[in-house]
Amino acid sequence: MQKLTVYTFILLLLAALQSNSASAQVTAQRNDTQGKPNEASNEKTMPSNTQQSKSNGIYKVVAADGSVTYTDRPSVDAKPVAFDGKTQNVVTAAAPPPMPKPQVKAKQPNYTVSIQSPAPEATIRNNVGEITIQATQPSAPKAPIYRLVFNDAPYASNTSGVFQLSGIDRGAHTFKVELTNNTGKTLASSPLQTLYLHQASALINN
């Protein structure tokens, strides 16, 4: 009886060990099964690189009041905006205005006039006060009009440069000849000269 009891005890012990091993395997399997849903949920909560790259687009959101908003964040009410492949965010700058050409001033013509007669400080004897003054233009270009200034006042104008004066009183007189254009603008002038007019006395003749 004692041997049978020991043998039975050994069998019971082996059975208990096997039962504990099976229980441990079931527990491990349960832990594995419970761990996998957590991993799946983690995978769902973590957005992939592809999803993040898709969120980099532009979205159009129309509110209830009809207002339109554009955003780069996707939402339930957002609709992606499609762009033409030719769309470019390039602003073409306006071409600068052309630089104005420097104005070249036309060379001003150099007009000159000189008095041929009478000579400076000349003495003229004429009882009726007649004097002839002649001017000329020694070089081109030629001005169209001569103007005689006698005793500081314009006396006459012509195109020949020859002036016949009469009724001039005796004594000293100043004069010069100017060149003008058709509007009267002075283009050149001779130096101011002086002449002396002498007339015979009526008492001497009597």
Side-chain angles (χ1 to χ4, degrees):
M1 276 308 280
Q2 186 176 1
K3 291 182 180 180
L4 181 61
T5 302
V6 172
Y7 180 76
T8 303
F9 176 77
I10 292 172
L11 292 176
L12 293 174
L13 180 62
L14 291 174
L17 291 174
Q18 291 178 355
S19 176
N20 291 334
S21 176
S23 298
Q25 291 179 356
V26 171
T27 302
Q29 290 178 355
R30 288 181 179 178
N31 291 334
D32 292 341
T33 305
Q34 292 177 354
K36 288 182 180 180
N38 292 334
E39 292 178 358
S41 62
N42 291 333
E43 291 179 356
K44 290 182 180 180
T45 56
M46 294 296 292
S48 64
N49 293 333
T50 304
Q51 291 177 344
Q52 289 181 351
S53 63
K54 290 183 180 179
S55 65
N56 293 333
I58 302 299
Y59 299 87
K60 177 181 178 182
V61 180
V62 181
D65 59 356
S67 61
V68 179
T69 304
Y70 292 90
T71 180
D72 59 351
R73 296 182 179 181
S75 63
V76 177
D77 298 332
K79 295 182 179 180
V81 179
F83 292 96
D84 189 357
K86 298 180 179 179
T87 303
Q88 295 181 355
N89 296 326
V90 177
V91 178
T92 303
M99 294 296 293
K101 295 181 179 180
Q103 296 181 354
V104 179
K105 293 184 178 180
K107 186 178 180 181
Q108 297 295 329
N110 186 20
Y111 296 98
T112 57
V113 57
S114 61
I115 296 176
Q116 289 185 321
S117 64
E121 305 294 326
T123 298
I124 299 174
R125 300 181 184 276
N126 190 286
N127 291 334
V128 295
E130 293 180 347
I131 302 173
T132 300
I133 298 175
Q134 184 175 359
T136 186
Q137 299 183 61
S139 61
K142 306 291 184 179
I145 299 174
Y146 295 85
R147 178 170 60 196
L148 173 64
V149 179
F150 195 79
N151 291 334
D152 298 326
Y155 186 88
S157 297
N158 59 38
T159 58
S160 64
V162 179
F163 300 92
Q164 299 289 343
L165 289 70
S166 61
I168 305 300
D169 296 332
R170 63 184 178 180
H173 302 278
T174 60
F175 67 99
K176 64 180 179 178
V177 176
E178 297 175 340
L179 300 177
T180 69
N181 59 14
N182 293 325
T183 62
K185 180 181 178 181
T186 302
L187 303 176
S189 177
S190 68
L192 187 66
Q193 293 184 197
T194 302
L195 61 82
Y196 303 93
L197 179 60
H198 286 192
Q199 293 177 346
S201 174
L203 296 176
I204 295 176
N205 292 334
N206 293 333

